[in-house]
Amino acid sequence: MRTKTYIPEHTISELYLNIWKSGKIDRTVFHQIQNAINSESLKSSDDLKIVSRLLYAVRRGWVSVVDPIA
């Protein structure tokens, strides 16, 4: 059974901007993004493009996945 991942639409573009500015993404957020794209919970094609770009940037090494600060 798959769990639904919910990422509010208004924060996806903000999230994208913050990640590109810092060059880092929190591991928890990274997994939420992966789950969102796999569960097809993203409604708009723009959000899907943003998430795809983030995943591509991680694969290319342009964005680092870091452990959350406790």
Side-chain angles (χ1 to χ4, degrees):
M1 182 171 137
R2 286 192 165 176
T3 59
K4 271 207 147 175
T5 303
Y6 176 71
I7 300 175
E9 291 181 22
H10 66 278
T11 62
I12 291 178
S13 58
E14 294 170 5
L15 182 68
Y16 179 78
L17 180 62
N18 291 335
I19 291 169
W20 273 110
K21 280 183 178 180
S22 68
K24 298 175 186 174
I25 184 171
D26 184 87
R27 188 172 307 278
T28 307
V29 174
F30 179 70
H31 288 300
Q32 288 175 344
I33 289 172
Q34 282 181 317
N35 290 335
I37 202 166
N38 290 334
S39 68
E40 300 175 3
S41 64
L42 298 174
K43 303 283 187 236
S44 82
S45 63
D46 290 336
D47 292 343
L48 188 60
K49 287 178 187 177
I50 290 172
V51 169
S52 295
R53 288 180 184 183
L54 284 173
L55 295 177
Y56 181 74
V58 169
R59 283 195 311 267
R60 296 291 296 173
W62 301 332
V63 173
S64 301
V65 178
V66 296
D67 290 326
I69 299 172

